[in-house]
Amino acid sequence: MVSDINYNIVIDFIQSITRIINANEWPDYAKRFKLNNDISEYVKYVQDNMDPILKRDMEYYCGKFCKGLFAVIFYAIDEDINDIGILLDNMDKMSGEDLVNIIIQKLELDIPEDASEKQIQTVIEDDLRNDMQDLDKVEIYMDYFRYPNEMKERLVITLREYYNKFFESIEQEVKDFMDKKLNEHRLLIKEDYDKFFDNMVMLIDKDVVIDKEVKFYICYFSEIGCGLRYTEDGVYTITYGYGLEQKYDDNMKKMEYRELIKLLNDDNRFKIIDLLGKRSWYSKELADHLGITTATMSYHIKKMSTLGIFDIETGKNKRLYYRLNKNKFIKIVNNMLFDIIDAQE
């Protein structure tokens, strides 16, 4: 069963922060896509006009706490909070321990109630490795367990200050733009669900969710990104950037061909595709096998994921395993060969 596509401004509020913090990564990550100029100008404006204290706090309480912000997004989705003011007021009222429990529950961290600090740190390190993130972020997560009230308070102050100084001024403009896109994408999914899924969704094959409930959330700031969450009640939540609609353009196919050729020309990426075609691999296991860091592995996976040729699945200890989606890979190769041969004829 497939639910309707939804839009939630709270998701975009959080994603705007991660976009600002990781702005330098986007041009390289999105080479074959045309990025929204309004978003790029807003990101630059915030970077140029943010005072040093807010910049420091955003990098620390939001940038290094990136996965914790995902927990806030999941909390907003699960509680049906579609108003930034209500989200911040709720976070103001909750205790630090409440926020820590939300992080544990929404990120599904396997932390017992009586866990020692060492046990907690081990779980967090495993979770960061699983997500191919640097372990230098462990300390801020540990600080939420050590000083929950103080850390929660500083996080809310940072989020509210960013909202008041910057995001509030563009909020209605973003909503209006996304209302239009929401209606357009609802038509697209109604016209051809398979085509919609193939173009808008990465990291999972549609056959996996064919008999599952799927909730789609269209996003503005993560304009060509795609996120996946699977909960124990059997519901898949997929967030995707509206900019992935560019994949409907036939010219994008030719760009996919060139991108695939470039990927195969890189020795490590060729090896990654070859290995993932044989079986599923846990990210750190794959990085260790190739003799590269998890950060480098993360970079390669991000570069290749926009082609939609990888799927992820949850394995032992809730680790994320990657595998090659052979059908999508073969489809791109066959389309490339067909277009080349057809053009010659």
Side-chain angles (χ1 to χ4, degrees), residues 201-244:
V201 179
M202 297 176 284
L203 301 179
I204 188 170
D205 191 282
K206 61 179 175 289
D207 291 339
V208 175
V209 300
I210 195 167
D211 59 345
K212 306 291 185 181
E213 181 178 358
V214 181
K215 295 181 179 179
F216 289 97
Y217 285 88
I218 186 173
C219 305
Y220 179 68
F221 278 94
S222 183
E223 55 187 302
I224 57 165
C226 184
L228 172 68
R229 178 194 183 206
Y230 176 71
T231 51
E232 292 180 354
D233 57 359
V235 178
Y236 283 88
T237 300
I238 297 173
T239 57
Y240 73 95
Y242 84 92
L244 291 171

Side-chain angles (χ1 to χ4, degrees), residues 314-344:
T314 304
K316 185 179 179 181
N317 297 325
K318 297 178 182 176
R319 289 175 173 171
L320 296 181
Y321 284 79
Y322 292 83
R323 63 180 175 85
L324 181 69
N325 186 318
K326 296 179 181 180
N327 290 334
K328 287 187 179 180
F329 184 78
I330 292 171
K331 183 179 180 180
I332 293 175
V333 173
N334 284 343
N335 285 342
M336 176 174 62
L337 294 174
F338 178 83
D339 282 357
I340 291 172
I341 295 171
D342 187 55
Q344 289 178 343

Side-chain angles (χ1 to χ4, degrees), residues 126 129-130 280-286 319-322:
D126 286 344
R129 287 193 192 97
N130 187 33
S280 300
W281 288 73
Y282 166 48
S283 57
K284 187 170 186 305
E285 173 192 25
L286 188 57
R319 289 175 173 171
L320 296 181
Y321 284 79
Y322 292 83

Side-chain angles (χ1 to χ4, degrees), residues 18 21-22 25 59-60 62-71 107 109 123-138 140-141 282-284 287 293-299 301-302 320 322:
T18 60
I21 293 171
N22 300 313
E25 299 178 7
E59 289 176 348
Y60 185 72
C62 301
K64 289 184 177 294
F65 189 57
C66 182
K67 286 207 69 176
L69 292 183
F70 293 163
L107 298 184
L109 299 176
V123 171
I124 293 173
E125 287 177 351
D126 286 344
D127 188 65
L128 290 173
R129 287 193 192 97
N130 187 33
D131 205 40
M132 293 186 287
Q133 295 194 37
D134 294 333
L135 294 185
D136 62 357
K137 297 178 180 179
V138 169
I140 187 168
Y141 287 87
Y282 166 48
S283 57
K284 187 170 186 305
T293 65
T294 53
T296 301
M297 176 60 67
S298 176
Y299 173 77
I301 292 292
K302 283 182 179 179
L320 296 181
Y322 292 83

